[in-house]
Amino acid sequence: MTTLFPTYKRFNLSVERASGTIVEDTNGKTYLDFGAGIGVCSLGHRHPDVQQALESQLNTYWHVSNLYHNPIQEKVADALIRNSSGDQVFFCNSGTEANEAAIKLARKATGKHKIISFEQSFHGRTFGAMAATGQEKIHSGFGPMLEGFSYAPFNDIDAVKQAIDNDTAVVMMEMIQGEGGIHIADPEFVQELVQLCRQNDVLLMVDEVQTGIGRTGKPFAYQHYSVSPDIITSAKALGNGVPVGAMIAKESLHDAFGPGSHAATFGGNPLAMAAAQAVLKHVFQDDFLQEVAEKGTYLSQRLSESVGNFSGVSAIRGKGLMIGIECHQDVSPLVGRLLDEGLLVLSAGSNIIRLLPPLTVSEKEIDTAIQLIGDALMD
């Protein structure tokens, strides 16, 4: 009998230890991890650079109030700014918190309250982030959502034109909808959306919680589209397993978040910052990102060759090392079968197998995973 709330439908796997791309359970069985803690452990489990940074910080100090200067915060913020279109950073503890901060900032900076997001989006589970999420199943059972949120069909610029008005503060979007099914933003739609926002004095906020920090072969996924969002949110891979989130915003929004306007007790915690600094130093290297892009191409091509023509597969899509295999059936049995065979994968919705391997995955490990996926789909 567990004393935990049953908020997760857990698999029959109890983790004992993990290293790199390998997870070992309490019975000694090993698994190739193509979920990476839902895109969190992008440098693999217990990456030595991250572990060393954490151990060093443990011997220095663990926490001080944000009422005092924490120099490592400035270093991590500088790395994020140098590799994005932003100028200012607010640190928090998760993607949901980063999105909450973005919602508050957009409303306070513009003096407007309406927020447009997209159907099948996912922005988190607190009330603000949940209200921004365009999925009824996320809202169900929690009573009225916060006012001011509306949802347009993804990649439908005409729907956004109909929804936007003089009280619209911000449009929130994912460049690749992760939880919603690995749906990719159309480049023409993105360019038209940027123009529409500018014409109507509306902010553009991009949720990079799952797609950011190298996942798609660039520091952030929006950089594939040559656009410059007003607000960017990041988390998951930023700490490689240590909880940390960040909201990055343009200088023009600086004054809206003055003293007392927002806070997070543990935001920018020295341990989280040490992990993030090590992650960014490793990931934000051109040669590393190029390798991610090449491995992503290899994974997509090999999947297309191996399982793309299977009758049960309707589409394979994604970018970099964020791939979805859309099937004609519920994939829950397939995910369970692959776990039994020693491969950890995720689902996105009911019929999509989602692959988010560590960015350090090898081609040999990709080949192993594809063989196991192919065997499961064939059966």
Side-chain angles (χ1 to χ4, degrees):
M1 178 66 179
T2 179
T3 54
L4 300 173
F5 270 107
T7 51
Y8 301 97
K9 188 176 180 180
R10 301 181 194 271
F11 291 96
N12 186 26
L13 167 60
S14 296
V15 177
E16 179 72 18
R17 60 179 57 87
S19 180
T21 56
I22 302 300
V23 171
E24 182 179 334
D25 70 15
T26 52
N27 297 314
K29 180 179 178 179
T30 59
Y31 305 80
L32 179 58
D33 189 358
F34 263 54
I38 315 183
V40 168
C41 299
S42 284
L43 294 180
H45 298 278
R46 293 179 50 236
H47 189 278
D49 290 352
V50 180
Q51 183 162 329
Q52 182 179 14
L54 284 167
E55 289 173 354
S56 177
Q57 188 61 49
L58 278 168
N59 290 320
T60 308
Y61 64 103
W62 298 3
H63 178 78
V64 292
S65 169
N66 278 313
L67 294 172
Y68 313 118
H69 291 287
N70 179 357
I72 196 171
Q73 287 185 4
E74 296 285 353
K75 295 176 182 178
V76 177
D78 182 66
L80 290 169
I81 288 165
R82 284 188 285 107
N83 291 276
S84 74
S85 62
D87 304 296
Q88 305 282 312
V89 178
F90 173 82
F91 287 115
C92 50
N93 307 292
S94 68
T96 294
E97 286 191 20
N99 287 334
E100 287 282 344
I103 291 167
K104 289 180 66 175
L105 177 64
R107 284 184 164 180
K108 195 167 188 292
T110 63
K112 299 183 285 188
H113 81 278
K114 186 174 179 179
I115 294 171
I116 299 172
S117 61
F118 294 92
E119 294 174 2
Q120 298 308 306
S121 61
F122 183 82
H123 298 293
R125 294 181 183 272
T126 52
F127 259 99
M130 180 169 62
T133 295
Q135 298 188 53
E136 177 58 33
K137 68 180 182 180
I138 303 298
H139 303 167
S140 179
F142 295 102
M145 291 294 102
L146 297 181
E147 296 180 355
F149 292 83
S150 62
Y151 319 104
F154 196 49
N155 284 326
D156 187 339
I157 194 64
D158 290 332
V160 181
K161 288 178 180 178
Q162 293 176 8
I164 208 164
D165 61 26
N166 291 332
D167 196 34
T168 302
V170 64
V171 174
M172 297 177 62
M173 72 175 298
E174 301 158 276
M175 291 301 180
I176 304 174
Q177 292 185 328
E179 303 294 328
I182 317 298
H183 297 291
I184 304 172
D186 179 74
E188 183 178 355
F189 167 75
V190 173
Q191 295 300 326
E192 290 179 335
L193 179 62
V194 169
Q195 185 177 3
L196 182 65
C197 287
R198 288 175 179 168
Q199 290 172 346
N200 290 273
D201 194 26
V202 170
L203 300 175
L204 176 63
M205 174 266 183
V206 177
D207 180 337
E208 294 267 8
V209 170
Q210 191 165 145
T211 54
I213 318 300
R215 173 58 56 183
T216 67
K218 289 186 179 293
F220 296 96
Y222 77 83
Q223 292 164 335
H224 292 283
Y225 297 84
S226 300
V227 298
S228 181
D230 300 289
I231 306 172
I232 307 153
T233 56
S234 177
K236 288 191 181 292
L238 182 56
N240 206 64
V242 178
V244 58
M247 180 193 67
I248 310 163
K250 292 284 186 67
E251 176 67 29
S252 58
L253 305 176
H254 171 273
D255 292 343
F257 257 22
S261 58
H262 195 52
T265 296
F266 296 102
N269 172 272
L271 294 172
M273 292 293 95
Q277 185 179 33
V279 168
L280 298 183
K281 184 177 180 180
H282 197 95
V283 173
F284 286 172
Q285 299 289 330
D286 290 343
D287 56 349
F288 183 83
L289 291 169
Q290 181 62 33
E291 287 181 8
V292 173
E294 290 171 356
K295 286 187 280 193
T297 299
Y298 181 78
L299 174 57
S300 294
Q301 290 178 345
R302 289 281 289 111
L303 279 171
S304 295
E305 295 166 358
S306 300
V307 305
N309 293 324
F310 282 18
S311 60
V313 174
S314 57
I316 297 171
R317 56 179 177 264
K319 190 175 288 292
L321 290 171
M322 182 176 184
I323 304 295
I325 306 169
E326 184 171 350
C327 300
H328 293 298
Q329 66 187 67
D330 181 0
V331 298
S332 296
L334 288 169
V335 173
R337 157 73 186 271
L338 288 169
L339 184 145
D340 291 340
E341 296 297 326
L343 178 66
L344 306 182
V345 300
L346 304 162
S347 60
S350 63
N351 67 324
I352 294 169
I353 299 172
R354 180 173 31 153
L355 306 180
L356 297 171
L359 306 184
T360 53
V361 69
S362 68
E363 287 191 358
K364 182 178 180 181
E365 290 169 329
I366 289 173
D367 290 339
T368 299
I370 290 172
Q371 181 65 52
L372 291 170
I373 292 168
D375 291 346
L377 285 168
M378 186 177 294
D379 290 345

